[in-house]
Amino acid sequence: MRRYLVAGNWKLNLGPRAGRDLAAAVGERLRGRTLHGDVVVCPPFVSIPAVSEAAQGDPVMLGAQNCADQAAGAYTGEVSAAMLKEVGVQYVIIGHSERREYYGETDDQFVRKIDLVHAQGMKAIFCFGEVLEDRKAGRAEAVVQAQLEGVLPRLESANAYNLVLAYEPVWAIGTGETATPEIAQQMHAHSRKITADLLGADTAANLRILYGGSCKPGNARELIGLPDVDGGLIGGASLKAEDFVGIVDGAETAATDR
Ligand code: PGA
């Protein structure tokens, strides 16, 4: 049985003060509850310590949105996996479509980053997904396969415990257009099958695959209730405590329905 994971990706929003307020509001709503899954927030780097302090004792874990592809040294502007570990981060998002599109990040970098995250005992959330043009051209499955093949077999020590996948169709990110349950289930099953071929059937059966792209309280239960969807990576809706916790509630209902 896979535990769900709901992870909030705050992107370039909320400095330390606003981040602390949001974490406190989320924590307050979840405090004292026994959840059937895991809840993570991924603030900008500089907000992580304030969020960590605000979430102390609450069922909210810390994540980061990125890390350097080098361990240390003369790499101006970067933040290493070891530094994230030191401030209490447990999950690091790698390969988000915005990193691919705006910063030109490549499979080689994703492999190095994920290995560095794993070397620190943290978990990587590796994102992939097709753009609209690929879907329209009937290439969605092939694109996702290539994205997974370009990274998973090259990882040093990936397993179902330290790796989470996030299928994020780029046409659904921040657009308000969510993948239909049929598309989500089909793409998740497809991704799990490819993962089985690349990392083994056991790993694929136990590894969590999140859905990302305009997930909100109103569709979380249905999406996260799908057989191969094990949670959500939440952008816009993670910036409001009520919406983010509404998605956690959806995941809880889906988990207890199972
Ligand atoms: P969204 O973003 O929920 O705003 O669509 C998801 C993501 O980019 O992870």
Side-chain angles (χ1 to χ4, degrees), residues 12-245:
L12 186 49
N13 298 291
L14 310 184
R17 266 191 299 272
R20 183 192 298 120
D21 290 349
L22 178 58
V26 168
E28 197 176 299
R29 286 170 165 81
L30 296 178
R31 198 164 301 154
R33 288 176 58 178
T34 307
L35 300 176
H36 294 80
D38 301 319
V39 178
V40 174
V41 293
C42 305
F45 294 135
V46 292
S47 302
I48 290 174
V51 166
S52 170
E53 204 183 299
Q56 203 79 50
D58 294 330
V60 178
M61 290 185 280
L62 273 180
Q65 301 169 21
N66 182 29
C67 72
D69 66 355
Q70 302 292 333
Y75 300 100
T76 302
E78 294 294 300
V79 172
S80 74
M83 293 169 189
L84 295 175
K85 171 78 176 181
E86 188 178 333
V87 292
V89 165
Q90 298 185 54
Y91 287 83
V92 184
I93 299 171
I94 303 291
H96 191 279
S97 65
E98 289 150 16
R99 300 295 317 172
R100 296 173 187 260
E101 187 182 346
Y102 306 138
Y103 302 98
E105 291 192 7
T106 62
D107 287 354
D108 288 354
Q109 287 175 295
F110 303 148
V111 169
R112 287 202 297 276
K113 290 179 182 206
I114 296 171
D115 282 345
L116 288 162
V117 165
H118 287 166
Q120 293 298 324
M122 299 184 293
K123 301 178 205 294
I125 301 175
F126 176 59
C127 306
F128 59 95
E130 80 282 2
V131 298
L132 187 59
E133 203 180 26
D134 295 327
R135 175 150 293 275
K136 282 190 176 154
R139 290 194 295 260
E141 292 199 351
V143 165
V144 158
Q145 178 163 358
Q147 287 171 326
L148 293 172
E149 283 176 350
V151 172
L152 300 193
R154 301 164 59 196
L155 297 174
E156 250 164 43
S157 59
N159 56 49
Y161 176 78
N162 66 15
L163 183 67
V164 176
L165 299 180
Y167 169 63
E168 299 206 300
V170 179
W171 46 271
I173 297 179
T175 58
E177 188 182 340
T178 316
T180 62
E182 292 70 30
I183 290 179
Q185 170 54 28
Q186 187 235 336
M187 293 305 287
H188 278 241
H190 172 66
S191 306
R192 199 178 298 283
K193 192 192 160 296
I194 291 161
T195 305
D197 294 341
L198 300 174
L199 297 180
D202 257 22
T203 297
N206 291 308
L207 163 140
R208 293 180 287 187
I209 307 181
L210 314 183
Y211 167 79
S214 300
C215 189
K216 19 183 193 267
N219 58 30
R221 176 184 175 177
E222 184 176 30
L223 286 166
I224 298 173
L226 295 167
D228 283 292
V229 178
D230 309 308
L233 183 54
I234 319 299
S238 73
L239 298 174
K240 278 200 189 132
E242 200 181 317
D243 289 351
F244 186 58
V245 174

Side-chain angles (χ1 to χ4, degrees), residues 2-5 33-38 251-253 255-256:
R2 299 181 294 265
R3 264 174 89 75
Y4 74 76
L5 170 63
R33 288 176 58 178
T34 307
L35 300 176
H36 294 80
D38 301 319
E252 275 296 305
T253 309
T256 46

